[in-house]
């Protein structure tokens, strides 16, 4: 199978499976795309595409930069999350602009995904920027257990995720997710199981010798200096300064 056909066929398979198991087959077709949008796992855009005959269709976009650093269940959560937006566009009343309202939150919970502004228990259930987590024993995890077999996977992965994406992967690795739905293990973690170090300086080494991903702390561009009399100044790192008041050198804090 051609890589493009394979990649999109897998995403379509997941969409169709959740349509049947979580939405009773009521969702219309949409166009699934891969978009490297910053700061988002995915998004829904209503009536984004139109064909030559004037037929409009919605878009569900997924960010492939996260595929290698997320457990598979997290990728599938993004698909189901955006399907709820699609459902609300056709059968409900969406909130203004990017606002996730109570109707959306109620539908999310009904399919086994708990809305949370933090992505963890205790977060707000409505708002502009919303994440979610899977409800233990809920419909979503049961649907995942049916879908994730030896025959289903996300085959193609971005080899160069950003620093933020690697750091988020480390947070996801700490969550207690069921092995049956791919929880707690992302492809990047499998390829570099012993090489993920998160201390503010993160280094991920891909052990198949094809690539090394190094994510470093941003270089310091400013430093604060203080002398004996308490005067403080800012400047570039490495400056040598002398205070004219106390005749003492400035030391970096």
């Amino acid at each position: 199978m051609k890589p493009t056909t394979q990649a999109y066929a897998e995403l379509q398979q997941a969409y169709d499976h959740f349509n049947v198991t979580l939405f009773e087959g009521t969702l219309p077709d949409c166009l699934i795309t891969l978009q490297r949008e910053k700061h988002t796992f995915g998004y829904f855009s209503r009536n984004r595409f139109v064909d030559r005959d004037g037929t409009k269709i919605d878009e569900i976009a997924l960010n492939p930069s996260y595929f290698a650093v997320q457990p598979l269940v997290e990728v599938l959560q993004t698909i189901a999350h955006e399907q709820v937006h699609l459902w609300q566009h056709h059968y409900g009343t969406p909130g203004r602009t990017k606002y996730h309202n109570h109707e959306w939150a109620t539908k999310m919970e009904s399919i086994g995904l708990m809305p949370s502004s933090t992505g963890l228990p205790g977060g707000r259930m409505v708002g502009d920027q919303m994440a979610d987590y899977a409800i233990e024993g809920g419909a979503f995890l049961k649907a995942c257990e049916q879908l994730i077999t030896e025959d289903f996977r996300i085959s193609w992965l971005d080899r160069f995720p950003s620093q933020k994406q690697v750091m988020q992967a480390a947070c996801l690795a700490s969550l207690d997710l069921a092995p049956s739905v791919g929880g707690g293990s992302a492809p990047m973690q499998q390829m570099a199981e012993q090489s993920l170090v998160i201390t503010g300086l993160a280094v991920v080494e891909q052990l198949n010798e094809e690539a090394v991903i190094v994510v470093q702390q941003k270089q310091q561009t400013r430093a604060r200096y203080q002398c004996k009399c308490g005067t403080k100044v800012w400047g570039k790192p490495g400056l040598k300064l002398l205070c004219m008041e106390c005749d003492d050198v400035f030391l970096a804090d």
Side-chain angles (χ1 to χ4, degrees), residues 220-232:
Q220 187 178 8
T221 58
R222 298 181 67 207
R224 189 175 71 168
Y225 301 86
Q226 182 172 339
C227 67
K228 185 186 299 183
C229 68
T231 302
K232 299 177 182 179

Side-chain angles (χ1 to χ4, degrees), residues 27-64:
L27 299 185
D29 289 331
C30 71
L31 189 55
I32 300 173
T33 65
L34 296 177
Q35 308 282 351
R36 284 191 181 88
E37 283 286 324
K38 291 183 178 180
H39 314 306
T40 182
F41 295 144
Y43 63 82
F44 166 75
S45 183
R46 63 184 183 88
N47 294 332
R48 184 57 183 263
F49 289 90
V50 62
D51 68 9
R52 300 291 182 180
D53 298 323
T55 302
K56 297 177 182 177
I57 198 168
D58 306 317
E59 174 191 25
I60 286 181
L62 302 171
N63 190 341

